[in-house]
Amino acid sequence: MLYSEMNRDMLLNEKNQLEERYNTFKAKNLKLDMSRGKPGKEQLDLSNGINEIKDFVYNGTDLRNYGILDGIESCKKLFAELLDVETKNVIIGPNESLTLMFDYVSQCYSHGAGDTPWSKLDEIKFLCPVPGYDRHFTICEYFGIKMINVPMTPNGPDMDAVEELVKDESVKGMMCIPKYSNPQGITFSDETVKRIAALKPAAKDFRIIWDNAYCVHDLSDDGEKLLNIFDILPEYGNEDMVVEFCSTSKITFPGAGISAVIASDANIASIKKRLNAQTISYDKMNQHRHAQFFGNADGVKAHMKKHAEILKPKFDIVLKHLKNELSGTGTAEWIEPKGGYFISLDVMHGCAKRVGELCKEAGVTLTTVGATYPYGIDPNDSNIRIAPSYPPVDELDTAAELLCICVRLACGERLLG
Amino acid sequence: MLYSEMNRDMLLNEKNQLEERYNTFKAKNLKLDMSRGKPGKEQLDLSNGINEIKDFVYNGTDLRNYGILDGIESCKKLFAELLDVETKNVIIGPNESLTLMFDYVSQCYSHGAGDTPWSKLDEIKFLCPVPGYDRHFTICEYFGIKMINVPMTPNGPDMDAVEELVKDESVKGMMCIPKYSNPQGITFSDETVKRIAALKPAAKDFRIIWDNAYCVHDLSDDGEKLLNIFDILPEYGNEDMVVEFCSTSKITFPGAGISAVIASDANIASIKKRLNAQTISYDKMNQHRHAQFFGNADGVKAHMKKHAEILKPKFDIVLKHLKNELSGTGTAEWIEPKGGYFISLDVMHGCAKRVGELCKEAGVTLTTVGATYPYGIDPNDSNIRIAPSYPPVDELDTAAELLCICVRLACGERLLG
């Protein structure tokens, strides 16, 4: 029954029952963590074979030594195959793509993406589809970039809003996760990708950080397909507008993987110019470990099926509880993602923070409520990001049930005033 | 006999003899490389044991997963022991320290080291002890930092000049290698270190990039000792003026090592603030490999003795040729380094470029002549950096003899006018 249709007595009765269940959980002194998109131990074990690679000569080059600024050919080829681009448009980066994204923004800040370094301008704004990834927001905040919320729709960012906002010349960029977005797991529709590729921003140096973090992270065989934006950009003369990033953080080892940036010839040239001052090379031994371990793109895809086998039951158990406990109550909405790392829960407005508190009191840590919005401010106090990957299934079973109780309890409290 | 005391006939005779020897070498179609400070294969093999480390749990933490922003404790302890500082003043970085130095300058550029980001100022200048390390100059050039040459003396940078130059408020920093400097192998004397620590720059945000690249890189047991500048800085309230960098690039694997930044509490805090936006963690698996492989600072020192056993004969053979061929000719001067990676040769003014050409024509690649000076301009056209580490001893024997012939030939040509 919809909570909104309950009278005061019914709500009080509901609240009492929920408090009883809540206290039973609380008495267990739980310590469960659903806060970050960390792979579980079982997933990490899938990649242990990487540490068996011990021959570091590749094409006659000793990879233990200096050199090869933009990454070894075998690794470039691997990412080029996965993302359907040419190897000349790939640079292999450090242990994670976040650093590459930060560094690209830093490059635009000190040297610009066009004629003027962003540091020389009075105001820089970025569009941030919301809810979104907190670490994107942190990068913007660090560089003093003003963030403008753009609502996500089931097809990606609200493109009417984006098309309107880019008419402002101080809007210099957008950060987004086009496939299995963090936290909603939404893949941008073909139309969205096309409209993004066709944007005519007032700023000639407008840049889209295309964070393809979950490019091969399907939860089952019917994964979603993302249009390759680099195929479309040339039609609009927008080749330089999009810079794509990805990594193996959630393929092999988070923090000890390899990353890649994919960009137009001109952008690759400007990044290489910076690289030339910045490094002698990234870690080619780790690049080689990865290339040898996978062999090719099919190797990666086969590997990702093993991840899915571990992850799918974890997502399912959370979704089962959401359905059993919250369907028909009007207290929350969510999308069943076909990939990625998160489930995004939108609870009754004004209740998310309280849900976080209740969970924490009972020993379940969620992603800080609000973190899915720029500056940590969810204007509706509604969004909760659930990260089911790390806890074992039995713990997740407990944590998800408790979360649902907390959602209902918080909403009940709110309606009771 | 001094070339300057030879008459024309003697010089012509000398030249003819040298050309004969030169042509004999040239006929061999050599392809020898003394250009970069790359460790040789034998040296790299010393660290292969690193790849045997396969257990990545440390203090109960799975190092394959996310987390630990500033590096694992065992690694911090290793660098803290080596450099005689507290672990709280150490951050473990990526695969090489060059990236950390670039990033620190980038941080000063976008966020400043004091009140004002350097990007907001009209002019930034750095002091560059010369001859020096080309990659330092490349970083300055990338950020548009005007470089001012400061001559090196046998005790380090000319401190009279430095003390005078820092009275200019637009002089914001200095980059230097205080131990076994690149290329001269000079270790800053105690007095130099004390005078640096006692500087009173007009710029309150003056920063010294203390690139301690060769901190444990002695060629023999009577290595030189560098005063720990962090012990002295507090006497002058200059704790924040120096930021130290080092890495295992020339201890384990160049490009696949680990690096560290050592700094005051305040500087560590500002770097961590940036790190928090920049990364989730650096590669902790590689950190752990290194910490386990060495155990402690003594493990590193024992390891460095093995490097010295390989490197010393290479330095000796170059020095032997320099002595045999050039002593008493007045064509060149050099210092016998007790550590580091280079021998710096100062030839008769106006002759270095010609030496480089002659070497190249005969198949020996030297570091680009001029590269040891900012903007690639050696005002005296005199300095040549010799990197003896990479070629095998027999090749080095040939290359060094040829180099000496080229030096004498170029100087003879010059005197003949």
Side-chain angles (χ1 to χ4, degrees), chain B residues 38-235:
Chain B
K38 285 170 76 168
K41 182 184 180 304
E42 257 187 293
Q43 285 179 269
L44 300 179
D45 287 344
L46 295 175
S47 301
N48 280 345
I50 276 188
N51 299 314
E52 303 302 324
I53 313 292
K54 283 185 202 155
D55 175 14
F56 293 101
V57 175
Y58 169 69
N59 277 354
T61 301
D62 191 333
L63 301 176
R64 300 172 302 175
N65 221 326
Y66 286 118
I68 315 187
L69 185 66
D70 58 352
I72 63 174
E73 195 60 24
S74 54
C75 255
K76 285 202 219 174
K77 213 177 143 194
L78 190 69
F79 280 103
E81 268 188 67
L82 282 173
L83 298 163
D84 195 21
V85 294
E86 292 183 59
T87 55
K88 72 176 171 59
N89 296 109
V90 180
I91 292 173
I92 306 300
N95 61 317
E96 53 173 36
S97 54
L98 187 71
T99 309
L100 280 178
M101 288 183 252
F102 177 95
D103 206 63
Y104 186 69
V105 175
S106 184
Q107 174 180 330
C108 293
Y109 191 87
S110 63
H111 288 71
D115 295 332
T116 312
W118 293 355
S119 60
K120 304 294 183 198
L121 302 171
D122 288 335
E123 192 171 52
I124 300 285
K125 296 177 197 143
F126 259 54
L127 306 183
C128 298
V130 289
Y133 179 31
D134 57 348
R135 291 189 181 274
H136 286 170
F137 308 148
T138 306
I139 292 175
C140 287
E141 210 168 346
Y142 182 78
F143 285 100
I145 295 170
K146 191 176 171 189
M147 293 178 270
I148 301 171
N149 294 358
V150 172
M152 282 288 284
T153 76
N155 295 312
D158 176 344
M159 287 308 297
D160 291 342
V162 170
E163 283 161 359
E164 191 58 35
L165 286 162
V166 300
K167 291 175 183 168
D168 174 355
E169 210 184 337
S170 69
V171 171
K172 292 288 188 187
M174 176 163 81
M175 291 214 176
C176 57
I177 300 180
K179 188 166 176 184
Y180 302 135
S181 70
N182 176 351
Q184 293 167 301
I186 291 171
T187 299
F188 294 5
S189 71
D190 291 359
E191 201 210 331
T192 300
V193 174
K194 285 174 188 164
R195 284 176 74 178
I196 291 175
L199 281 174
K200 295 191 191 313
K204 295 301 160 221
D205 52 353
F206 184 83
R207 286 293 179 272
I208 296 172
I209 306 290
W210 197 250
D211 181 3
N212 209 346
Y214 307 108
C215 52
V216 289
H217 301 62
D218 304 322
L219 282 170
S220 56
D221 288 340
D222 64 336
E224 289 165 356
K225 300 271 173 272
L226 174 73
L227 269 193
N228 182 359
I229 196 164
F230 284 104
D231 288 343
I232 314 166
L233 290 164
E235 287 174 35

Side-chain angles (χ1 to χ4, degrees), chain A residues 294-397:
Chain A
F294 290 121
N296 56 29
D298 285 339
V300 176
K301 286 172 191 163
H303 185 78
M304 292 314 290
K305 281 193 198 295
K306 297 181 199 161
H307 278 289
E309 280 167 25
I310 298 167
L311 283 174
K312 186 72 165 50
K314 294 188 174 185
F315 276 73
D316 284 347
I317 205 149
V318 173
L319 290 165
K320 184 194 80 178
H321 283 292
L322 295 181
K323 201 177 161 200
N324 289 351
E325 298 272 348
L326 305 180
S327 282
T329 65
T331 56
E333 290 179 346
W334 62 94
I335 300 169
E336 284 195 22
K338 291 201 166 177
Y341 260 68
F342 304 101
I343 297 166
S344 175
L345 191 67
D346 283 310
V347 301
M348 198 180 282
H349 288 193
C351 293
K353 276 215 161 71
R354 178 63 182 147
V355 173
E357 282 168 18
L358 286 166
C359 280
K360 195 174 175 191
E361 261 177 60
V364 170
T365 309
L366 300 175
T367 305
T368 309
V369 174
T372 51
Y373 281 75
Y375 311 105
I377 301 167
D378 173 359
N380 295 323
D381 185 22
S382 170
N383 188 250
I384 290 169
R385 186 181 80 164
I386 305 169
S389 56
Y390 190 68
V393 172
D394 58 332
E395 288 187 12
L396 208 53
D397 196 12

Side-chain angles (χ1 to χ4, degrees), chain A residues 38 46 53 77 165 173 199 226 230 331 338 378 385 416:
Chain A
K38 287 170 75 167
L46 295 175
I53 313 292
K77 213 176 143 194
L165 286 161
L199 280 174
L226 175 73
F230 284 103
T331 56
K338 291 201 166 177
D378 173 359
R385 186 181 80 164
L416 283 162

Side-chain angles (χ1 to χ4, degrees), chain A residues 24 49 67 87 113 214 243 281 286 299 333 353 360 373 382 397 409 412:
Chain A
T24 312
T87 55
Y214 307 108
V243 184
S281 77
N286 209 27
E333 290 179 346
K353 276 215 161 71
K360 195 174 175 191
Y373 281 75
S382 170
D397 196 12
L409 201 48

Side-chain angles (χ1 to χ4, degrees), chain A residues 81-375:
Chain A
E81 268 187 65
L82 282 173
L83 298 163
D84 195 20
V85 294
E86 292 183 59
T87 55
K88 73 177 170 61
N89 297 107
V90 180
I91 292 174
I92 307 299
N95 62 317
E96 53 173 35
S97 55
L98 188 70
T99 309
L100 281 177
M101 288 184 252
F102 177 94
D103 206 62
Y104 186 70
V105 175
S106 184
Q107 175 180 329
C108 293
Y109 191 86
S110 63
H111 287 70
D115 296 332
T116 312
W118 293 356
S119 61
K120 305 294 183 197
L121 302 172
D122 288 335
E123 192 172 52
I124 299 284
K125 296 176 196 145
F126 259 53
L127 306 183
C128 298
V130 290
Y133 180 32
D134 55 348
R135 290 190 181 272
H136 287 172
F137 307 148
T138 306
I139 292 175
C140 288
E141 208 168 349
Y142 182 77
F143 285 100
I145 295 169
K146 191 177 169 189
M147 292 177 271
I148 301 171
N149 294 358
V150 172
M152 283 288 283
T153 76
N155 296 311
D158 176 343
M159 286 309 297
D160 292 341
V162 169
E163 283 161 357
E164 191 57 35
L165 286 161
V166 298
K167 292 176 184 169
D168 174 355
E169 210 184 337
S170 68
V171 171
K172 292 289 187 186
M174 176 164 82
M175 292 211 174
C176 58
I177 299 179
K179 188 167 175 183
Y180 303 135
S181 70
N182 176 351
Q184 293 167 301
I186 291 171
T187 299
F188 293 6
S189 70
D190 291 359
E191 201 209 330
T192 299
V193 174
K194 285 175 188 166
R195 284 175 74 178
I196 291 174
L199 280 174
K200 294 191 192 308
K204 296 300 160 218
D205 53 354
F206 183 83
R207 287 293 181 272
I208 297 171
I209 306 288
W210 197 250
D211 180 3
N212 210 346
Y214 307 108
C215 53
V216 288
H217 302 61
D218 303 322
L219 283 169
S220 54
D221 289 338
D222 64 336
E224 288 165 357
K225 300 272 173 270
L226 175 73
L227 268 194
N228 182 359
I229 196 163
F230 284 103
D231 288 342
I232 313 166
L233 290 165
E235 289 173 37
Y236 302 94
N238 271 342
E239 294 90 330
D240 300 338
M241 191 178 68
V242 175
V243 184
E244 183 173 14
F245 298 87
C246 69
S247 79
T248 68
S249 289
K250 290 180 180 92
I251 297 175
T252 59
F253 301 126
I258 55 171
S259 61
V261 53
I262 293 92
S264 69
D265 294 349
N267 284 332
I268 289 284
S270 74
I271 294 169
K272 276 192 188 164
K273 193 183 162 196
R274 182 178 177 88
L275 265 186
N276 196 49
Q278 189 173 27
T279 185
I280 303 173
S281 77
Y282 291 116
D283 187 338
K284 298 183 299 296
M285 289 174 73
N286 209 27
Q287 290 173 22
H288 188 62
R289 283 187 197 103
H290 280 74
Q292 292 294 108
F293 180 65
F294 290 121
N296 56 29
D298 285 339
V300 176
K301 286 172 191 163
H303 185 78
M304 292 314 290
K305 281 193 198 295
K306 297 181 199 161
H307 278 289
E309 280 167 25
I310 298 167
L311 283 174
K312 186 72 165 50
K314 294 188 174 185
F315 276 73
D316 284 347
I317 205 149
V318 173
L319 290 165
K320 184 194 80 178
H321 283 292
L322 295 181
K323 201 177 161 200
N324 289 351
E325 298 272 348
L326 305 180
S327 282
T329 65
T331 56
E333 290 179 346
W334 62 94
I335 300 169
E336 284 195 22
K338 291 201 166 177
Y341 260 68
F342 304 101
I343 297 166
S344 175
L345 191 67
D346 283 310
V347 301
M348 198 180 282
H349 288 193
C351 293
K353 276 215 161 71
R354 178 63 182 147
V355 173
E357 282 168 18
L358 286 166
C359 280
K360 195 174 175 191
E361 261 177 60
V364 170
T365 309
L366 300 175
T367 305
T368 309
V369 174
T372 51
Y373 281 75
Y375 311 105

